[in-house]
């Protein structure tokens, strides 16, 4: 007789019983695809550091958004690749600037699609910082004033959700105040509430043509700080954020589970460019099984407590989920 007093393997014997007792599920409903749209180009350009990801010309955005909708991707996050950069990123709050145009184009192409704008300035500034720079640093409150102008332009263009990524203090309260005062109290805000100053954003900066001098260490979070990571998200909840976010995802899942335990708001993770590149390039070299690694990674996000997942793999995941059924 064995001295084993419980046999876990009883519930692992067949696919059917494993399906029955599985504790975490992932579906297309959870996915948001980030999309890069570049002004002034004629055809799409693949990113060298993110194989399978493109900068789309504005003219091809409608077809792409419609294709995604047909596949069951119901939310996209738009990033502009600007040819009109200046010191403060003013194109981002121009009524006919790139941000406003791509929102309008996506909504017209597929009105049911949830169109989210990444609300920041680094894609629109020459120096690549996420706001107004004075004496070598990003000034918080002048940046907030510009952010209020930017989100109103996005709202008037028809955006469904605002997603500020600049890590300015008070950004959620400032956005909420601006939206509410102009009749947009129904538009939700998904805050990049806990965003670390991370080397995992490397490929993204090529993607949006950001030539950053210096670092973002004076506004994005120190990777070493778990308690502060919780406080950052809870502060945004207090200011009225509808959805919270942790970014990057894979190496910050302790932070995800901590926020999950302390907040009842929906929680997103952003599986960022460097995380995408590591899987994509390792798989292309035969080191790992791409689909298995991606699905395992997504499962880990859900298990840690994420409700929503922003990932450049979203379209591929939709294809894989279709194959399975
Ligand atoms: C800009 C922004 C960044 C990302 C989303 N919005 C980069 C940064 O902060 O430097 C990262 C996306 C990615 O790496 O996939 N505020
Ligand atoms: Zn930024």
């Amino acid at each position: 007789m064995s001295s084993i007093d419980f046999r876990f393997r009883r519930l692992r014997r067949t696919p059917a019983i494993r399906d029955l007792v599985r504790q975490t599920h992932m579906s297309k409903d959870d996915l948001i695809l980030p999309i890069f749209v570049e002004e002034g180009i004629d055809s799409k350009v693949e990113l060298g550091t993110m194989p399978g990801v493109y900068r789309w010309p504005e003219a091809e955005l409608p077809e792409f958004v419609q294709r995604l909708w047909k596949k069951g991707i119901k939310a996209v996050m738009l990033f502009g690749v600007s040819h009109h950069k200046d010191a403060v990123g003013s194109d981002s709050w121009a009524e006919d600037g790139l941000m406003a145009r791509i929102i309008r184009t996506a909504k017209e192409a597929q009105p049911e699609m949830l169109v989210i704008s990444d609300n920041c300035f680094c894609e629109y500034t020459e120096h690549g910082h996420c706001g107004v720079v004075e004496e070598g640093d990003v000034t918080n409150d002048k940046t907030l004033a510009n952010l209020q102008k930017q989100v109103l332009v996005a709202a008037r263009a028809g955006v469904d959700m605002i997603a500020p990524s600049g890590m300015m203090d008070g950004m959620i309260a400032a956005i909420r105040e601006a939206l509410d005062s102009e009749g947009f109290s129904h538009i939700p805000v998904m805050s990049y509430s806990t965003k670390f100053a991370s080397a995992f954003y490397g490929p993204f900066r090529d993607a949006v043509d950001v030539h950053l001098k210096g670092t973002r260490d004076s506004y994005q979070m120190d990777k070493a700080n778990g308690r502060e990571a919780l406080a950052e998200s809870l502060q945004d909840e207090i200011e009225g954020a509808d959805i919270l976010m942790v970014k990057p995802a894979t190496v910050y899942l302790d932070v995800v589970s901590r926020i999950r335990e302390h907040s009842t708001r929906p929680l997103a993770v952003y599986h960022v460019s460097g995380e995408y590149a590591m899987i994509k390039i390792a798989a292309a070299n035969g080191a790992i099984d791409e689909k298995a690694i991606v699905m395992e990674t997504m499962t880990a996000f859900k298990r840690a407590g994420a409700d929503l997942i922003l990932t450049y793999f979203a379209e591929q995941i939709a294809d894989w989920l279709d194959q399975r059924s």
Side-chain angles (χ1 to χ4, degrees):
M1 274 296 282
S2 152
S3 62
I4 296 172
D5 61 5
F6 191 81
R7 293 184 180 269
F8 288 95
R9 292 183 57 187
R10 281 193 288 263
L11 300 185
R12 292 177 197 153
R13 283 185 58 235
T14 68
I17 201 161
R18 290 194 295 271
D19 286 351
L20 196 65
V21 300
R22 186 160 300 119
Q23 299 173 1
T24 303
H25 298 274
M26 217 266 301
S27 89
K28 294 180 200 174
D29 296 347
D30 307 326
L31 299 173
I32 302 169
L33 179 70
I35 300 177
F36 303 114
V37 187
E38 179 166 8
E39 59 188 341
I41 58 170
D42 296 327
S43 50
K44 64 180 184 176
V45 182
E46 188 170 18
L47 304 175
T49 51
M50 299 175 74
V53 176
Y54 299 84
R55 292 183 185 180
W56 293 86
E58 290 177 75
E60 286 181 38
L61 182 60
E63 210 180 306
F64 184 39
V65 169
Q66 287 161 357
R67 176 174 104 199
L68 294 168
W69 181 261
K70 285 199 191 78
K71 290 185 180 188
I73 299 293
K74 293 184 275 190
V76 295
M77 159 96 88
L78 299 178
F79 290 92
V81 183
S82 174
H83 291 192
H84 292 88
K85 301 181 192 235
D86 65 16
V88 291
S90 63
D91 188 65
S92 70
W93 69 83
E95 293 285 350
D96 202 34
L98 180 60
M99 185 181 293
R101 294 200 308 272
I102 59 183
I103 292 166
R104 277 199 294 269
T105 301
K107 282 306 290 182
E108 271 165 31
Q110 193 69 54
E112 313 92 316
M113 179 70 83
L114 189 92
V115 173
I116 308 168
S117 54
D118 176 87
N119 292 101
C120 200
F121 299 95
C122 49
E123 298 94 336
Y124 298 90
T125 55
E126 293 152 345
H127 45 68
H129 277 290
C130 300
V132 179
V133 175
E134 274 177 359
E135 291 166 23
D137 198 4
V138 174
T139 63
N140 199 86
D141 297 7
K142 284 184 184 162
T143 301
L144 290 186
N146 290 344
L147 187 57
Q148 289 181 314
K149 292 188 266 185
Q150 186 190 102
V151 300
L152 287 175
V153 165
R156 285 195 280 270
V159 84
D160 292 303
M161 186 150 74
I162 295 290
S165 62
M167 288 294 283
M168 295 300 121
D169 287 321
M171 67 182 183
I172 303 305
I175 289 169
R176 197 68 270 161
E177 183 191 297
L179 291 176
D180 293 356
S181 71
E182 297 282 327
F184 297 110
S185 57
H186 57 285
I187 295 187
V189 177
M190 174 167 73
S191 181
Y192 286 66
S193 52
T194 296
K195 178 175 178 181
F196 292 93
S198 172
F200 285 96
Y201 309 147
F204 173 92
R205 298 196 183 152
D206 296 334
V208 296
D209 197 27
V210 163
H211 310 284
L212 180 66
K213 296 171 196 76
T215 71
R216 302 203 198 291
D217 293 349
S218 79
Y219 42 107
Q220 297 182 347
M221 271 205 57
D222 188 327
K223 313 163 235 320
N225 297 357
R227 263 183 290 130
E228 185 186 352
L230 175 61
E232 270 280 7
S233 273
L234 294 183
Q235 175 61 31
D236 284 6
E237 177 169 355
I238 290 167
E239 291 180 27
D242 299 278
I243 300 177
L244 306 175
M245 188 199 296
V246 174
K247 179 184 175 193
T250 316
V251 301
Y252 294 96
L253 292 187
D254 56 321
V255 172
V256 172
S257 83
R258 208 155 165 172
I259 295 171
R260 176 71 300 151
E261 280 172 21
H262 289 86
S263 175
T264 57
R265 294 286 157 82
L267 181 56
V269 288
Y270 197 140
H271 185 233
V272 303
S273 56
E275 301 176 88
Y276 175 90
M278 289 195 315
I279 295 175
K280 204 71 185 176
I281 293 166
N285 283 276
I288 55 173
D289 175 338
E290 180 173 355
K291 178 180 169 188
I293 293 276
V294 170
M295 291 315 219
E296 184 170 339
T297 303
M298 300 300 133
T299 301
F301 296 161
K302 298 291 293 187
R303 194 190 60 238
D307 303 299
L308 326 179
I309 301 169
L310 292 116
T311 178
Y312 302 99
F313 283 110
E315 185 181 5
Q316 261 184 285
I317 293 171
D319 290 340
W320 287 329
L321 291 173
D322 285 341
Q323 285 165 15
R324 206 177 49 184
S325 52

